[in-house]
């Protein structure tokens, strides 16, 4: 897991013009302290349930912070106000890294985060968020909805007293920000790199010195040279944090995370106590936000990248072919280890994921991949 807090220093603001108000709201609220929250809020008052949502993000952080607030508002709206969801950003009620345990133990009712943060609970959980050379955003929700993934998702989170839902996706992430240009695989040996989830294991296998830290610490470590490189999400969120100020080389493709699902997990007891119509309200609130969140990321990533290249001296670079090949081999080792994990449930999750990936992936050669390749030949993109 990582520490989730972003500096409120105005010097960390990014260049993305359409998010100035978002960044101003985010910076203004990110410093709100834990004293602002209280554990004494009743679960049910005046015939309404009052739920506390804890998140892994500062309020209004472009991307996940915005999506978390949208989810809280949508649950409240779709329940007709019978569930009033109040959002507590990272550090207001519990630290961002503590939201899983807080909801599991009943301190809060639900959280918004990403599965990539919970590998210490079970490596099987990591499969539901992002996987090196794994599923795209549409394929990820396809596996859960049509490939048996949701039942496995429920089963592994059920061990911790949680009912999980996917509620968004950042789309393809980037390999990240590098202080120096990378020419070959040898340049990555011993390179100090921030990442999370199964991507951490992949990078470790090729000799990178992987470190887990939050975006604020990543910014400072890149600035001082304590880190050589690191990845967080993608252009929209990364520009708001200001990584381009401390590293100019922005590498793609982010093969460690072809997509990164965002999740909502509800305390299982609190969820079980809901009448059926409110269970459906919670479920549909999550489901109905998946595409809007994903497409917002895609739209604003594109605009933010263009702004950074045009105005901030960011240089977009492609990973060398030998690096991609080595990462692919390392990712295969990671999956082989999961397929033989001592936990029978982890093995079942891996088998289900692999079967779906291979089935849909072979079809994509003709479908989406075929269309994108044809468009690139004609239009150049």
């Amino acid at each position: 897991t990582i520490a989730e807090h972003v500096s409120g220093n105005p010097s960390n603001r990014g260049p993305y013009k359409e998010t100035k108000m978002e960044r101003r709201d985010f910076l203004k609220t990110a410093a709100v302290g834990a004293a602002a929250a209280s554990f004494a809020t009743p679960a049910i008052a005046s015939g309404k349930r009052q739920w506390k949502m804890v998140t892994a993000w500062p309020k209004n952080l472009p991307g996940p912070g915005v999506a978390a607030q949208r989810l809280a508002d949508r649950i409240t709206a779709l329940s007709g106000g019978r569930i009033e969801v109040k959002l507590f950003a990272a550090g207001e009620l519990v630290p961002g890294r503590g939201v899983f345990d807080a909801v599991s133990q009943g301190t809060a009712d639900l959280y918004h985060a990403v599965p990539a943060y919970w590998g210490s609970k079970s490596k099987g959980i990591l499969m539901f968020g992002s996987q090196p050379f794994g599923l795209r955003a549409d394929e990820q929700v396809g596996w859960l909805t049509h490939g048996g993934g949701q039942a496995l998702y429920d089963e592994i989170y059920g061990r911790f007293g949680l009912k999980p839902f996917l509620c968004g996706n950042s789309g393809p992430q980037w390999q990240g920000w590098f202080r120096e240009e990378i020419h070959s695989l040898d340049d990555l040996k011993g390179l100090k790199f921030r990442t999370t989830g199964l991507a951490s294991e992949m990078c470790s296998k090729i000799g990178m010195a992987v470190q887990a830290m939050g975006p604020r610490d990543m910014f400072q470590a890149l600035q001082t040279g304590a880190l050589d490189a690191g990845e967080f999400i993608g252009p929209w969120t990364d520009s708001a944090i200001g990584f381009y100020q401390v590293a100019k080389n922005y590498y793609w493709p982010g093969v460690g995370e072809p997509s990164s699902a965002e999740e909502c997990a509800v305390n299982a007891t609190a969820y079980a106590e809901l009448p059926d119509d409110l269970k459906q309200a919670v479920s549909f609130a999550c489901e109905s936000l998946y595409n809007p969140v994903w497409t917002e990321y895609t739209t604003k990533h594109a605009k933010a990248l263009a702004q950074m290249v045009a105005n901030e001296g960011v240089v977009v670079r492609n990973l060398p072919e030998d690096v991609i090949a080595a990462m692919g081999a390392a990712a295969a080792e990671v999956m082989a280890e999961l397929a033989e994990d001592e936990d029978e449930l982890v093995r079942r999750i891996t088998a289900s994921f692999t079967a779906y990936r291979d089935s849909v992936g072979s079809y994509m050669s003709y479908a989406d991949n075929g269309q994108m390749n044809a468009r690139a030949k004609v239009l150049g993109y």
Side-chain angles (χ1 to χ4, degrees), residues 247-304:
K248 296 295 187 182
N249 300 293
Y250 202 24
Y251 273 89
W252 70 282
V255 295
E257 296 179 89
S259 70
S260 181
E262 295 174 359
E263 71 178 356
C264 169
V266 184
N267 177 273
T269 300
Y271 184 77
E273 290 174 349
L274 295 176
D276 287 345
D277 64 327
L278 291 186
K279 288 179 181 176
Q280 290 187 30
V282 173
S283 176
F284 185 69
C286 295
E287 178 184 344
S288 67
L289 280 175
Y290 191 89
N291 278 349
V293 168
W294 170 26
T295 52
E296 181 177 31
Y297 272 111
T298 300
T299 302
K300 293 184 176 178
H301 280 332
K303 293 179 179 180

Side-chain angles (χ1 to χ4, degrees), residues 4-5 29-42 50-61 64-65 68-73 84-100 102-103 106-113:
E4 296 84 14
H5 182 71
T29 58
V32 175
S38 169
F39 289 90
T41 304
Q50 297 175 336
W51 274 11
K52 295 185 287 288
M53 173 190 280
V54 290
T55 80
W57 328 108
K59 278 185 178 176
N60 299 319
L61 172 64
Q69 184 63 63
R70 191 174 298 163
L71 177 61
D73 294 342
E84 296 179 341
V85 181
K86 183 175 181 181
L87 185 148
F88 296 88
E92 290 185 340
L93 191 60
V94 296
R97 70 181 70 185
V99 300
F100 187 103
V103 176
T107 300
D109 301 287
L110 68 167
Y111 73 70
H112 186 283

Side-chain angles (χ1 to χ4, degrees), residues 72-228:
D73 294 342
R74 186 159 295 191
I75 292 174
T76 301
L78 290 180
S79 70
R82 290 157 63 198
I83 303 175
E84 296 179 341
V85 181
K86 183 175 181 181
L87 185 148
F88 296 88
E92 290 185 340
L93 191 60
V94 296
R97 70 181 70 185
V99 300
F100 187 103
D101 289 340
V103 176
S104 175
Q105 296 164 9
T107 300
D109 301 287
L110 68 167
Y111 73 70
H112 186 283
V114 290
Y117 291 171
W118 317 130
S120 63
K121 306 297 182 183
S122 170
K123 288 188 177 180
I125 289 177
L126 300 177
M127 300 295 292
F128 297 99
S130 57
Q131 323 85 15
F133 296 86
L135 301 180
R136 304 182 322 179
D138 53 341
E139 295 170 333
Q140 185 77 357
V141 75
W143 172 41
L144 265 66
T145 304
H146 304 293
Q150 185 66 50
L152 295 166
Y153 195 25
D154 288 339
E155 185 174 353
I156 197 163
Y157 276 64
R159 291 178 172 180
F160 304 95
L162 298 171
K163 167 60 178 172
F165 304 91
L166 295 189
C167 57
N169 202 300
S170 68
Q173 297 208 356
W174 282 59
Q175 193 58 39
W177 300 91
F178 287 69
R179 287 163 54 91
E180 304 293 338
E181 188 176 353
I182 299 300
H183 300 283
S184 70
L185 181 61
D186 289 340
D187 291 335
L188 297 183
K189 304 297 184 182
L191 184 138
K192 299 183 291 294
F193 183 69
R194 182 271 176 199
T195 190
T196 60
L198 292 174
S200 297
E201 298 191 23
M202 177 191 74
C203 291
S204 294
K205 286 182 179 294
I206 63 171
M208 300 174 74
V210 176
Q211 300 184 31
M213 62 181 69
R216 179 188 183 185
D217 290 338
M218 174 179 155
F219 181 97
Q220 294 172 341
L222 284 170
Q223 189 174 42
T224 63
L227 269 184
D228 300 306

